[in-house]
Amino acid sequence: MLRFGLRSKFIVLSCFLFLLPWLGYEYVWEMEKFLRQGQEKTLVGTTRALATALHERPALFDEQTNFLDQVIKGRDLYAYNLKNPIQLDGKLTDWEPYKPLFWHYDKRYLQKTNKNHQASDLSFDHMVGKFDNYLYAVFNVTDNTLIYRAKNSLSITNNDHLKIGLKAPDGQFNTYIIAPRQDGWVNAFNADTKAPFTKIQGYFKRTQKGYTVELRFPLAMLGNKLGFAIADTDSLSELPNANVMSTSNLNNPSDLGSVLVPSPEISRILKGMGHSGSRIWVVDNHHRVLAQSGTIQNADGVWADGLKNQPPKNAWQRFEQTYLHPLYYKILTRPENEFIDTLHDVASMQGSHLANALKGQPASSWRLTPDSKAVILSAAYPIWIEDKVIGAVIAEETTNGVRTLRNKSLEKLFNVILAVMLIGTVTLFFFASRISSRIRRLRDTAEQAIDAQGRVTGSISYSDSNDEIGDLSRSFANIVSRLGGYTDYLENMSSRLSHELRTPVAVVRSSLENLQSLEQTELNQKYLDRASEGVERLGKIITTMSEATRLEQSIQSNDPEPFDLRSVINGCMQGYLLTYPKQLFTLDICPNSLPMQGAPEFIAQLLDKLINNALEFSQANTAINVTLQSKDTQAILSVSNTGPLLPEGLSEHIFDSMVSVRSQHMQQQPHLGLGLYIVRLVCDYHKGSVTAQNNTQHNGVTFTVSLPLAN
């Protein structure tokens, strides 16, 4: 349990922090699915409630919506609702938003078939619309030859003209003719009496390809039948054979096409639904719209009530709106109110939901706007009169309300996640900081317990904690304790050995000396000489071991004193010149005194070991270079010789105890690798340092000692 405590804590915390946002995110998405289902049911309920208000009310549905077996586009006209009144100027600027609803009339609509007819001879685009109590009509005519009515002529048909045929509300069939003498304002003429009819007003304007005509007349004079015809007379000789292109046959009232004007009575009923948050249509059984209420851009349903963005009221809301929301909405998408919805051809609405509703089955469907910025839900419910479906109610809403609600939920969720993650991060930070501080303390204690040379100089205070770090500290304390005992044994071994070996070596030496005083044979004398040589080697080994031990003990008990480093080095070098007369030395010693605090005898011993090392490794007939200079607050002593290079990677370990790089042929004298170890001990005592490296010429080794000068 102790070994897996910390790991288990981290795993549990990590899993918790990971699962929390994922579970919350999944929950919100599931909530959105249920909200969409609820929106669908609510919208079907809205259409059902409105359809209930229209059931069994035949007076609301004129004959014009029911008498046709089918609606033929181009012949049967639909008066689209116009957003603004049309300015009669012939420029067609006001009609620009409705261009997709224009119907094109070509040679198929000629009253007399002509296979040689070209579009440039005669064709036109046309639509009718309703605003307030007026019906507007537009004609964009292509005609390669335009003939106006002569100024002195009483005839209104010996020229290009527009003929209007309509059935009045009282059932009377009337025809009117627009025959302009020039561009500008025009009025109609009664086709039978040739008298001006001022209720029909318009504007005629010539264009590069033909001409345009805009008309306006009161809805009160219109029944359920309407048709238009364009007569093209290219010359007076063609009058009997003038081309006539019409929406329907104006010569026979029964052949006139129907016209549907949105019902004002149903529109008044729908007006009360204008605040329902839906766009609502009422459609007859020929798919034509009888009334419409609301706009799809504002149709986000009841789901968005109370979710509109409010100005921040406190510091937290300002912080959330300024800093958090821009971060959140790099992931989330804001509902778009400015989107493009396909303009419905309300003269013939389509959709699977409408088709099912006209069959008597309520239905709904989802669709994406062409710019992919919004999803629109449509629901349809049938309208019954007796046992017959007379039409349907269609309601449409965007999912912006649901998406806004989802975004609000995700904002709250993200706030909670950030808070939990912040608290978790702070908790984990302090938890990890506490663990790391305990590990650092354990590391520092372990480093302080063992010095750079590997000697155990202290102990580790272990922890009583029941976790892995406490277990590790107890293990470290046990290891350091056992290592300290073993190191102490090794450190005292040389002194013990030197002490214990002195007596038997002395016994052997005295015995050999006694034997040497007696007369010996040549063979025995040879063996005695070899034994004496071995005893001498053992004596030197014991002396060297004792020297290192004595130096360590002296260093521990010695009190530093002031001395001149230059004088010590200079005196020692004078002695070496006398001791080794055959060895060449080059000296470069600074002329100024170098005051230090320490033990001059230790410095002499340091230099002695460096000179001995240089003598052993120097090549014959080469000089040993000794320099002593001052640099800042340091005295720099260097001893270099020409000879074998240091092996790679051994420059740092050469000052350790029992380390030697001598080759086999140089081991004629006993050597334990303690000379440079003594050099390092002296440097450490004087708070200095020593380094060894191959010289720049790569033909020898340089030892550099740096010692601090006294202030």
Side-chain angles (χ1 to χ4, degrees), residues 86-96 99 102 138-140 203-207 211-214:
I86 301 297
Q87 182 178 358
L88 302 180
D89 54 9
K91 296 180 180 180
L92 307 186
T93 305
D94 296 335
W95 297 96
E96 195 66 32
K99 280 290 183 66
F102 280 30
V138 61
F139 302 87
N140 187 13
Y203 197 94
F204 186 96
K205 182 179 180 180
R206 185 168 190 162
T207 63
Y211 56 90
T212 60
V213 181
E214 291 179 311

Side-chain angles (χ1 to χ4, degrees), residues 563-671:
F563 66 94
D564 183 9
L565 178 63
R566 177 186 176 278
S567 299
V568 174
I569 299 299
N570 192 37
C572 290
M573 290 308 302
Q574 296 301 322
Y576 296 139
L577 292 174
L578 296 175
T579 305
Y580 307 105
K582 296 182 179 181
Q583 177 63 47
L584 179 62
F585 290 93
T586 60
L587 303 179
D588 183 10
I589 299 177
C590 66
N592 302 325
S593 62
L594 301 174
M596 281 188 60
Q597 285 283 341
E601 64 273 16
F602 292 166
I603 296 296
Q605 198 168 2
L606 174 147
L607 184 58
D608 184 57
K609 296 303 180 185
L610 291 177
I611 294 298
N612 285 335
N613 183 78
L615 288 170
E616 291 183 21
F617 286 94
S618 290
Q619 293 180 355
N621 301 320
T622 59
I624 295 175
N625 303 313
V626 178
T627 64
L628 177 64
Q629 301 293 333
S630 64
K631 183 178 181 181
D632 296 332
T633 60
Q634 298 285 324
I636 309 299
L637 171 65
S638 65
V639 178
S640 61
N641 65 275
T642 302
L645 300 178
L646 287 174
E648 186 177 355
L650 198 62
S651 59
E652 295 181 0
H653 301 287
I654 197 173
F655 298 100
D656 293 342
S657 178
M658 301 295 182
V659 176
S660 177
V661 295
R662 287 168 175 79
S663 59
Q664 188 65 31
H665 73 277
M666 299 179 65
Q667 296 286 354
Q668 300 299 324
Q669 298 295 327
H671 198 282

Side-chain angles (χ1 to χ4, degrees), residues 294-355:
T295 60
I296 192 61
Q297 281 73 17
N298 297 323
D300 47 13
V302 298
W303 306 93
D305 291 347
L307 296 179
K308 302 298 183 183
N309 289 329
Q310 301 292 334
K313 299 179 180 179
N314 50 50
W316 164 249
Q317 290 181 354
R318 286 192 294 271
F319 174 80
E320 185 181 18
Q321 190 175 72
T322 305
Y323 298 104
L324 296 183
H325 286 180
L327 179 64
Y328 295 162
Y329 283 95
K330 290 183 180 298
I331 303 173
L332 304 177
T333 55
R334 294 183 185 273
E336 291 280 354
N337 288 326
E338 298 297 328
F339 57 86
I340 299 175
D341 184 28
T342 303
L343 183 63
H344 285 285
D345 185 356
V346 293
S348 181
M349 288 192 67
Q350 302 298 327
S352 59
H353 57 294
L354 176 58

Side-chain angles (χ1 to χ4, degrees), residues 141-386:
V141 182
T142 299
D143 185 359
N144 52 15
T145 302
L146 172 60
I147 297 190
Y148 291 99
R149 181 164 64 97
K151 293 183 178 181
N152 298 323
S153 174
L154 296 177
S155 173
I156 57 176
T157 58
N158 293 342
N159 46 266
D160 292 348
H161 61 273
L162 167 65
K163 187 175 183 179
I164 305 171
L166 58 84
K167 188 176 181 181
D170 58 4
Q172 183 179 355
F173 177 70
N174 300 315
T175 57
Y176 305 93
I177 291 178
I178 302 293
R181 284 195 172 98
Q182 60 185 6
D183 291 359
W185 191 264
V186 293
N187 288 110
F189 294 91
N190 189 301
D192 297 326
T193 64
K194 306 298 188 293
F197 189 77
T198 58
K199 290 184 177 181
I200 299 179
Q201 302 170 334
Y203 197 94
F204 186 96
K205 182 179 180 180
R206 185 168 190 162
T207 63
Q208 292 181 351
K209 294 183 178 181
Y211 56 90
T212 60
V213 181
E214 291 179 311
L215 296 179
R216 179 184 66 193
F217 56 89
L219 285 173
M221 61 180 291
L222 178 64
N224 58 6
K225 293 285 188 177
L226 177 65
F228 299 95
I230 299 290
D232 176 31
T233 303
D234 289 342
S235 64
L236 295 178
S237 60
E238 296 180 357
L239 286 178
N241 299 313
N243 284 332
V244 177
M245 185 175 291
S246 61
T247 61
S248 56
N249 185 9
L250 272 63
N251 296 323
N252 187 352
S254 61
D255 292 339
L256 277 179
S258 67
V259 59
L260 178 64
V261 177
S263 170
E265 292 82 4
I266 299 178
S267 296
R268 282 192 290 271
I269 296 174
L270 291 188
K271 188 176 182 180
M273 301 295 293
H275 303 287
S276 65
S278 305
R279 178 171 67 176
I280 300 175
W281 314 79
V282 176
V283 182
D284 68 3
N285 54 4
H286 299 295
H287 295 230
R288 296 189 296 181
V289 174
L290 303 180
Q292 184 262 334
S293 173
T295 60
I296 192 61
Q297 281 73 17
N298 297 323
D300 47 13
V302 298
W303 306 93
D305 291 347
L307 296 179
K308 302 298 183 183
N309 289 329
Q310 301 292 334
K313 299 179 180 179
N314 50 50
W316 164 249
Q317 290 181 354
R318 286 192 294 271
F319 174 80
E320 185 181 18
Q321 190 175 72
T322 305
Y323 298 104
L324 296 183
H325 286 180
L327 179 64
Y328 295 162
Y329 283 95
K330 290 183 180 298
I331 303 173
L332 304 177
T333 55
R334 294 183 185 273
E336 291 280 354
N337 288 326
E338 298 297 328
F339 57 86
I340 299 175
D341 184 28
T342 303
L343 183 63
H344 285 285
D345 185 356
V346 293
S348 181
M349 288 192 67
Q350 302 298 327
S352 59
H353 57 294
L354 176 58
N356 289 331
L358 293 178
K359 293 177 182 177
Q361 296 295 327
S364 60
S365 65
W366 300 82
R367 62 184 174 86
L368 189 65
T369 58
D371 56 5
S372 301
K373 291 184 177 180
V375 177
I376 296 177
L377 169 64
S378 300
Y381 200 90
I383 301 173
W384 298 87
I385 294 180
E386 295 182 354

Side-chain angles (χ1 to χ4, degrees), residues 55-104:
H55 287 328
E56 307 300 336
R57 298 180 67 177
L60 296 176
F61 299 89
D62 298 331
E63 290 183 0
Q64 59 190 9
T65 65
N66 303 309
F67 69 91
L68 297 174
D69 293 332
Q70 62 177 347
V71 173
I72 300 176
K73 295 209 66 171
R75 185 197 70 177
D76 299 304
L77 305 177
Y78 180 84
Y80 295 91
N81 274 318
L82 303 176
K83 296 180 180 180
N84 300 292
I86 301 297
Q87 182 178 358
L88 302 180
D89 54 9
K91 296 180 180 180
L92 307 186
T93 305
D94 296 335
W95 297 96
E96 195 66 32
Y98 310 100
K99 280 290 183 66
L101 303 176
F102 280 30
W103 190 258
H104 181 67

Side-chain angles (χ1 to χ4, degrees), residues 4-47:
F4 297 97
L6 293 176
R7 185 184 302 173
S8 301
K9 293 174 184 176
F10 277 116
I11 291 175
V12 170
L13 286 174
S14 300
C15 292
F16 173 74
L17 292 177
F18 173 76
L19 286 175
L20 180 65
W22 180 77
L23 290 175
Y25 193 74
E26 288 295 320
Y27 174 78
V28 171
W29 277 107
E30 288 298 322
M31 180 191 71
E32 182 182 6
K33 293 179 183 178
F34 286 115
L35 287 177
R36 288 196 178 195
Q37 293 178 6
Q39 183 182 20
E40 188 173 358
K41 298 296 184 183
T42 302
L43 196 60
V44 172
T46 299
T47 59

